[in-house]
Amino acid sequence: MQQFASDNYAGMCPAAFNYFQQANQSGHELAYGEDIWTQKVCDALRDLFQTDCEVFFVFNGTAANSLALAALCQSYHSVICHELAHIETDECGGPEFFSNGSKLLVGKGEQGKLTPDIIEAIVTKRSDLHFPKPKVVSLTQSTEVGTVYSVEEIRAIAAIAKRRHLTVQMDGARFANAVASLNVHPSELTWRAGVDVLCFGGTKNGLPVGEAVVFFDKHLAEDFAYRVKQAGQLASKMRYLSAPWLGLLENNVWLRNAQHANAMAELLYQRIKDLPKLRIMFPRQANAVFAELPLPIIKGLYAQGWRFHQFIGAGGCRFMCAWDTRIETVEAFANDIQRLCEAA
């Protein structure tokens, strides 16, 4: 039974599995990222973003964010992020731990987004040495409430960041869904807009495991390989982490997977948005739908075997669609919601 709790529930997409098998059948390969598969993926990512960049692979998003931020900060620095950002709410202090104590400074913005004014207010709040010095702006794309930063919004944030001598890191666990939503080239949402480092999510887009940390500002990647090793994130058989990326990147499977997930979320949104007792909380822009429902209806859905989260983002119920979500699954779920809402 497919579920709506997380896009992590989905398995590996066929294209990724194909390259996983190919890597397994290729015999002996060099270890620790010196293999041909890892080199091919790094080159493919450079082609995708149309720029020379440094690429590293880690097992999960927490490691990607934490190590990337640690590379951008000293222990006495701070990272500006939204109050709902994953690095603030769901990474168990990982960014602070790996940076030896860099503090997260949170801003409250509508629809899960930071704005230039919010960043400026945090940066200028204090400048004395008793307060951690702001050093990085971290953006989540798409956000924890399913909204998407436009190209213009990212450019405006990057502009204030540069004026204040801050670097820009992007938590792109669902970066593919944001690209699919905006229908722009991935470079326009990253280095062309002023992003210095992207944590490019693969797991939620059809990989078995693994995220790519992409440094568009290459000098920021100095000694990053040592951080990866020290954190226990350097895979000895790296080809099994990297090769499935070729399946996503070839023929833009990564984008088609995201487009499908977004389309399933839009279908669900259209089916439930006008139901009684239900309130849509945020615009449906990526692959998530957030809704407020009375507790009896929530319990009724659980009793039917459906699974979804209520503690993610700003509360309410989060319904998350994945690369493999089927139309009939959405229809069945929507029908159960409708039946319970109309009976309430």
Side-chain angles (χ1 to χ4, degrees):
M1 184 176 181
Q2 291 189 327
Q3 295 290 353
F4 294 88
S6 175
D7 34 7
N8 285 325
Y9 279 31
M12 194 186 333
C13 75
F17 186 59
N18 174 51
Y19 273 97
F20 186 90
Q21 287 183 307
Q22 287 190 43
N24 190 49
Q25 295 166 357
S26 65
H28 283 211
E29 293 280 355
L30 297 177
Y32 302 109
E34 298 298 322
D35 59 278
I36 59 171
W37 302 98
T38 302
Q39 300 309 309
K40 286 180 179 179
V41 176
C42 290
D43 289 339
L45 285 168
R46 293 178 184 114
D47 289 341
L48 175 67
F49 287 102
Q50 298 179 343
T51 189
D52 189 19
C53 50
E54 293 288 351
V55 181
F56 302 85
F57 298 97
V58 295
F59 291 102
N60 54 48
T62 295
N65 287 329
S66 299
L67 295 177
L69 292 172
L72 306 179
C73 286
Q74 298 290 338
S75 59
Y76 49 85
H77 287 146
S78 58
V79 177
I80 298 170
C81 65
H82 194 275
E83 64 176 343
L84 301 178
H86 204 265
I87 59 173
E88 164 68 8
T89 65
D90 289 279
E91 294 186 354
C92 197
E96 296 96 325
F97 175 80
F98 283 101
S99 63
N100 293 316
S102 294
K103 184 177 178 60
L104 301 183
L105 301 178
V106 300
K108 297 182 179 182
E110 294 182 358
Q111 298 185 4
K113 297 181 183 181
L114 292 175
T115 66
D117 287 344
I118 293 170
I119 295 168
E120 179 75 2
I122 293 175
V123 172
T124 59
K125 181 180 179 181
R126 287 178 62 177
S127 60
D128 58 278
L129 59 79
H130 303 286
F131 194 73
K133 182 180 180 181
K135 189 66 174 179
V136 185
V137 174
S138 179
L139 304 177
T140 308
Q141 179 75 316
S142 57
T143 74
E144 293 298 327
V145 296
T147 55
V148 173
Y149 285 97
S150 68
V151 174
E152 292 73 20
E153 286 174 322
I154 297 173
R155 286 177 177 168
I157 288 171
I160 187 64
K162 301 312 177 189
R163 283 200 297 273
R164 292 296 180 178
H165 307 290
L166 310 174
T167 53
V168 179
Q169 179 260 355
M170 179 173 283
D171 175 354
R174 298 183 179 92
F175 177 74
N177 301 95
V179 175
S181 176
L182 294 172
N183 193 28
V184 297
H185 193 273
S187 66
E188 295 297 326
L189 286 176
T190 52
W191 65 273
R192 295 186 193 275
V195 174
D196 298 296
V197 184
L198 167 69
C199 297
F200 191 174
T203 308
K204 293 176 173 62
N205 192 238
L207 293 188
V209 63
E211 317 290 286
V213 183
V214 183
F215 285 84
F216 300 109
D217 186 338
K218 293 178 66 174
H219 89 271
L220 295 174
E222 183 179 358
D223 292 338
F224 190 74
Y226 289 90
R227 292 186 183 276
V228 174
K229 173 64 177 180
Q230 188 181 62
Q233 291 290 319
L234 178 61
S236 55
K237 296 184 180 181
M238 181 70 78
R239 62 191 183 277
Y240 295 114
L241 204 60
S242 61
W245 276 94
L246 288 174
L248 291 189
L249 297 173
E250 192 175 72
N251 300 318
N252 282 330
V253 170
W254 69 278
L255 187 58
R256 295 205 306 273
N257 283 352
Q259 289 169 337
H260 175 79
N262 289 3
M264 292 301 96
E266 175 64 16
L267 174 61
L268 178 60
Y269 166 74
Q270 292 295 337
R271 289 282 279 104
I272 68 174
K273 64 183 177 69
D274 296 321
L275 293 177
K277 308 295 184 181
L278 181 149
R279 183 182 75 86
I280 298 296
M281 299 173 64
F282 303 101
R284 199 295 306 163
Q285 295 178 345
N287 60 323
V289 177
F290 282 81
E292 285 185 347
L293 286 166
L295 185 58
I297 294 176
I298 293 173
K299 290 182 176 180
L301 290 171
Y302 283 153
Q304 292 294 317
W306 296 109
R307 294 292 175 263
F308 49 89
H309 289 310
Q310 299 179 66
F311 62 87
I312 304 272
C317 299
R318 187 190 75 170
F319 307 135
M320 184 66 67
C321 295
W323 69 268
D324 65 344
T325 300
R326 296 188 296 267
I327 292 176
E328 53 266 35
T329 305
V330 175
E331 293 290 355
F333 186 47
N335 287 338
D336 281 349
I337 297 175
Q338 180 178 356
R339 176 179 54 81
L340 289 166
C341 285
E342 291 177 347

